[in-house]
Amino acid sequence: MRPRWLSPGLMRAGQFALAALMLALLWRALDGAEAARSLAGADPLWLIAALAALTLQTALSALRWRLTAAQLGIRLGLGAALREYYLGQALNLSLPGGVVGDAGRAVRARQQAGLLASGQAVVFERLAGQAGLFVITAGAFAVTLAAPGGLEWPARLIPPVAIFMLIGLCLPLVLYVLTQVPGRIGAGARSVWHGMRRAVLARGVILPQALLSLGTALSNLAAFAFCALAVGHGLPLAAVLAFVPLILLTMLIPLTISGWGLREGAAAALFPLAGSAASGGLAASVAFGLMMIVAAVPGLIFVVGRRRAAA
């Protein structure tokens, strides 16, 4: 439970301050002037390509949400799904926690089947997207470890990444085991398990879910790779598949707004492993964050439109 004195406004200010502090420290430690020059000379064509990839990611995510919701009795038109997804993304990028926009999607879609079903549709859709990113990461990790001449993983990084992969693989098993537990915990786990089987794993649904999730994950990876190319620090394909998912996953940690600072720190740490400069990772990550904001502009327009309509 959040303490009473810790208001949403104070949380937001703290997250902004932490992001600014982390960026300032990275800027000072990693030759920020060189990163600034890379950003100033960024190739606009690669930035446009990154924006196109992020736009594709949003469209595929909206389709995945629409498919998931339909399995739970919620019918969404394509236009409505896109509009709501853009709105949710804009709120996620600007508010603490990164889930406020998703919660709003669930609340506004509750009329047809109730808040539980609409909430499950949003949660399962987001989990499917993270599963796609996880599958790519796990596959690239295994291949680059095994392939001769592949990407060189430092010995200190292999155990934590391997543990992370193992935990991800075990989560579905843990959920299934919890369904066998008596009482409220078991009942809650069974509700989630049955909903997930119906919305994500059912015959006729699992294949499009898998394709859409892989599509959204690859679109995000492509957007980051295009930003790296834009600032003159392109990554080999193996590094894009193995390292960039780890960079993007830091955005799930709700310490800053939309992962700012954390994402740049991860990029600066991982880029040298792919033969690039740490300042290049900083520049690429900042460019990616800026492109995410630009890609969310339609959502900001919807936010302003709603506020004017309410007034």
Side-chain angles (χ1 to χ4, degrees), residues 57 60-62 64-66 68-69 84-85 88-93 97-106 118-134 196 199-200 209 212-213 216-217 220 248-249 251-253 258 292:
Q57 178 266 329
L60 294 176
S61 297
R64 186 177 61 217
W65 178 42
R66 187 169 179 251
T68 306
E84 286 291 330
Y85 216 96
Q89 280 188 331
L91 293 174
N92 284 346
L93 286 173
V99 296
V100 176
D102 296 320
R105 279 196 288 139
S118 64
Q120 285 186 338
V122 170
V123 170
F124 295 158
E125 180 269 319
R126 289 298 301 270
L127 286 176
Q130 298 306 323
L133 197 60
F134 177 84
M196 187 175 294
V200 180
Q209 284 280 16
L212 287 169
S213 294
T216 56
N220 266 326
L248 298 183
L249 285 170
M251 296 172 64
L252 299 177
I253 303 172
S258 193
M292 286 186 65

Side-chain angles (χ1 to χ4, degrees), residues 189-287:
R190 284 190 292 274
S191 174
V192 173
W193 180 257
H194 293 321
M196 187 175 294
R197 287 184 60 185
R198 180 180 173 187
V200 180
L201 304 175
R203 183 181 300 178
V205 177
I206 187 169
L207 180 58
Q209 284 280 16
L211 293 175
L212 287 169
S213 294
L214 288 174
T216 56
L218 289 172
S219 297
N220 266 326
L221 298 186
F224 196 99
F226 293 154
C227 287
L229 286 167
V231 298
H233 293 272
L235 297 172
L237 179 59
V240 172
L241 296 177
F243 292 158
V244 173
L246 298 178
I247 295 171
L248 298 183
L249 285 170
T250 62
M251 296 172 64
L252 299 177
I253 303 172
L255 291 178
T256 65
I257 297 293
S258 193
W260 280 98
L262 296 171
R263 183 184 60 236
E264 285 68 37
L270 291 172
F271 263 55
L273 303 182
S276 188
S279 61
L282 175 60
S285 186
V286 170

Side-chain angles (χ1 to χ4, degrees), residues 23-214:
L23 287 171
L25 291 174
L26 288 168
W27 202 262
R28 184 177 181 84
L30 300 176
D31 194 359
E34 176 59 31
R37 284 191 290 270
S38 297
L39 286 166
D43 187 334
L45 292 180
W46 282 121
L47 293 179
I48 292 172
L51 184 59
L54 289 171
T55 301
L56 176 61
Q57 178 266 329
T58 300
L60 294 176
S61 297
L63 287 173
R64 186 177 61 217
W65 178 42
R66 187 169 179 251
L67 172 65
T68 306
Q71 294 299 113
L72 297 173
I74 302 170
R75 304 294 173 184
L76 294 168
L78 179 57
L82 279 170
R83 182 172 62 250
E84 286 291 330
Y85 216 96
Y86 267 117
L87 176 59
Q89 280 188 331
L91 293 174
N92 284 346
L93 286 173
S94 57
L95 294 175
V99 296
V100 176
D102 296 320
R105 279 196 288 139
V107 169
R108 290 188 295 273
R110 71 187 185 279
Q111 288 83 4
Q112 296 183 44
L115 186 57
L116 177 61
S118 64
Q120 285 186 338
V122 170
V123 170
F124 295 158
E125 180 269 319
R126 289 298 301 270
L127 286 176
Q130 298 306 323
L133 197 60
F134 177 84
V135 166
I136 293 173
T137 310
F141 179 63
V143 169
T144 51
L145 274 182
L151 213 61
E152 191 71 27
W153 286 86
R156 69 181 184 279
L157 197 57
I158 294 175
V161 175
I163 291 171
F164 173 72
M165 296 294 110
L166 183 61
I167 291 173
L169 290 172
C170 289
L171 285 179
L173 178 61
V174 171
L175 177 60
Y176 179 75
V177 170
L178 288 176
T179 63
Q180 310 304 310
V181 175
R184 296 177 63 182
I185 293 178
R190 284 190 292 274
S191 174
V192 173
W193 180 257
H194 293 321
M196 187 175 294
R197 287 184 60 185
R198 180 180 173 187
V200 180
L201 304 175
R203 183 181 300 178
V205 177
I206 187 169
L207 180 58
Q209 284 280 16
L211 293 175
L212 287 169
S213 294
L214 288 174

